[in-house]
Amino acid sequence: IILSGSFVSYLSTIRAEMAASKRKLNLSGFMAKPITNAEILQSNPDDMKTKMELLIMKIQADFCHALENEENFGRKFKIDRWERAEGGGGITCVLQDGDVFEKAGVNISVVSGTLPKGAVDQMRSRGKKLSGNSLPFFAAGVSAVIHPRNPMIPTIHFNYRYFELTEPNGEKQWWFGGGTDLTPYYLDEDDVKHFHKTLKDACDLHDKTYYPEFKKWCDKYFRITHRNECRGVGGIFFDDVDQPNQEEVFEFVSSCAHAVIPSYLPLVKRHKNDFYGHREREWQLLRRGRYVEFNLIYDRGTKFGLYTPGARYESILMSLPLLAKWEYMHEPKANSDEGKLIEVLQNPKDWI
């Protein structure tokens, strides 16, 4: 288990491994072969498209292997490498019906082509100044949603992505986005503090203003407005980041992505053998219903995916749990363990 206090030394080791792999491209540890031809990756090591693809491939493989190691009976990820006629493709890895993870999905996508008007309009709605209604683009990202079987283990979601657009005059716009957030079913404050501390450590390596800014952004973004509550206890979230420069933002994104395992795996190890009964399971299914509501109504990534030509809907909807539940006018008692969680979801707090 990697504790947040040793995150800096952990990241130093990771960066040394990445530097070595950059000198000699080694694809053996990935879940499948990269989407881009290996010769192109090898001949363009300093291109941000190459660096991002290799990063997300590594993050996917590291996380999948870490999760597989927690399964007690050898359940493995199903690996589905797919290609997109319009350009690029992806690797969808899903583990279902494990004894620890009921459904775990870890996706990477590396896609290119022409961005349709609907997607361009969505970007303009959040402040992007784009000319033209149909623009060449490149996008690469990794995303994961983990739905554990035991209600005492929280759900985690993370997504880290790079986007590049070419304007009609040939100029390029680029930006990064991403974040990691936690959705517990029962509130364990030590878990939440550990999770946030690990993310803060990653942010502080680059800019000490990042964590408080992106923590606040996360609480706002993952708000289920029609329920007047947050989806979970937050984490960090950011989008459209293009300052101070491309290399520094990439290093920040890399640090955050590598913080996922040390932020989450200790919680899995701590709770995967905890006792639970029918009441806890029913509450977990009800909370998963809220998760579904957010993803289908509000999530920006889901909307972008559905707008993209050649979209692979099985991969886009990978984030949905195997099982969820809705009950009419269900409301937990205020002084119950379930009620304590709702209080925090309705009133986000600072954890560190």
Side-chain angles (χ1 to χ4, degrees), residues 252-263:
F252 165 62
V253 167
S254 177
S255 294
C256 292
H258 282 106
V260 171
I261 290 177
S263 74

Side-chain angles (χ1 to χ4, degrees), residues 16 22 29 43 58-59 63 68 76 82 85 94 123 137 164 183 203 205 214 235 248 268 300 314 339:
K22 180 180 177 180
S43 61
K58 181 180 185 303
I59 294 300
F63 195 48
E68 287 177 341
K76 300 294 183 182
W82 50 273
V94 177
M123 291 178 178
F137 81 98
E164 195 174 277
T183 302
C203 291
L205 289 172
F214 297 154
E248 289 190 38
V268 175
R300 188 183 295 170
E314 286 291 327

Side-chain angles (χ1 to χ4, degrees), residues 308-324:
T308 303
R312 195 168 190 276
Y313 302 112
E314 286 291 327
S315 297
I316 294 169
L317 299 177
M318 170 275 306
S319 63
L320 302 182
L322 276 184
L323 300 171

Side-chain angles (χ1 to χ4, degrees), residues 56-256:
I56 62 178
M57 294 285 293
K58 181 180 185 303
I59 294 300
Q60 180 187 50
D62 288 353
F63 195 48
C64 286
H65 294 149
L67 297 180
E68 287 177 341
N69 288 339
E70 296 305 317
E71 286 288 328
N72 295 314
F73 301 105
R75 182 71 70 175
K76 300 294 183 182
F77 277 89
K78 176 183 179 180
I79 303 168
D80 183 10
R81 186 184 184 278
W82 50 273
E83 295 184 356
R84 178 174 168 270
E86 294 81 0
I91 303 166
T92 298
C93 296
V94 177
L95 187 157
Q96 290 187 163
D97 288 319
D99 63 300
V100 176
F101 303 108
E102 191 168 295
K103 184 179 180 186
V106 189
N107 287 352
I108 69 104
S109 61
V110 180
V111 297
S112 58
T114 302
L115 204 62
K117 183 178 184 301
V120 174
D121 289 344
Q122 185 193 1
M123 291 178 178
R124 287 195 180 110
S125 71
R126 67 175 198 263
K128 286 292 177 187
K129 296 180 179 179
L130 304 174
S131 55
N133 291 321
S134 185
L135 301 173
F137 81 98
F138 170 88
V142 58
S143 62
V145 178
I146 312 303
H147 294 291
R149 188 173 297 278
N150 192 316
M152 302 305 163
I153 306 175
T155 281
I156 190 174
H157 157 262
F158 71 87
N159 173 285
Y160 291 98
R161 56 196 178 274
Y162 171 71
F163 209 92
E164 195 174 277
L165 275 177
T166 304
E167 296 270 26
N169 63 5
E171 292 184 4
K172 290 185 178 181
Q173 289 196 44
W174 60 264
W175 62 88
F176 291 86
T180 307
D181 62 281
L182 195 71
T183 302
Y185 305 99
Y186 287 90
L187 185 63
D188 183 318
E189 294 204 1
D190 289 339
D191 287 352
V192 182
K193 289 175 182 177
H194 166 83
F195 178 79
H196 277 269
K197 176 64 165 59
T198 309
L199 298 184
K200 183 178 184 298
D201 288 345
C203 291
D204 285 355
L205 289 172
H206 302 271
D207 190 322
K208 291 187 183 299
T209 68
Y210 281 172
Y211 171 77
E213 178 183 352
F214 297 154
K215 190 270 184 191
K216 183 177 180 181
W217 197 345
C218 186
D219 290 337
K220 181 179 180 181
Y221 178 79
F222 289 105
R223 189 85 181 173
I224 307 174
T225 306
H226 65 278
R227 297 288 191 180
N228 191 33
E229 63 187 39
C230 294
R231 189 175 75 175
V233 293
I236 58 172
F237 175 86
F238 55 91
D239 207 356
D240 302 325
V241 177
D242 56 8
Q243 298 292 332
N245 59 63
Q246 195 176 61
E247 185 62 31
E248 289 190 38
V249 182
F250 172 76
E251 290 297 334
F252 165 62
V253 167
S254 177
S255 294
C256 292

Side-chain angles (χ1 to χ4, degrees), residues 276-346:
Y276 68 93
H278 178 75
R279 167 183 159 178
E280 290 79 14
R281 174 62 168 169
E282 290 294 292
W283 176 245
Q284 180 192 49
L285 295 179
L286 288 168
R287 293 310 308 169
R288 284 181 180 174
R290 296 288 204 269
Y291 208 93
V292 171
E293 289 176 26
F294 178 86
N295 283 24
L296 295 184
I297 297 173
Y298 299 108
D299 186 65
R300 188 183 295 170
T302 301
K303 291 181 179 180
F304 173 78
L306 296 175
Y307 277 132
T308 303
R312 195 168 190 276
Y313 302 112
E314 286 291 327
S315 297
I316 294 169
L317 299 177
M318 170 275 306
S319 63
L320 302 182
L322 276 184
L323 300 171
K325 187 173 183 177
W326 286 261
E327 285 186 8
Y328 183 70
M329 298 296 286
H330 182 276
E331 189 171 337
K333 295 180 180 178
N335 61 349
S336 65
D337 290 338
E338 295 82 2
K340 291 175 183 176
L341 175 69
I342 294 298
E343 172 63 26
V344 168
L345 299 183
Q346 292 177 342

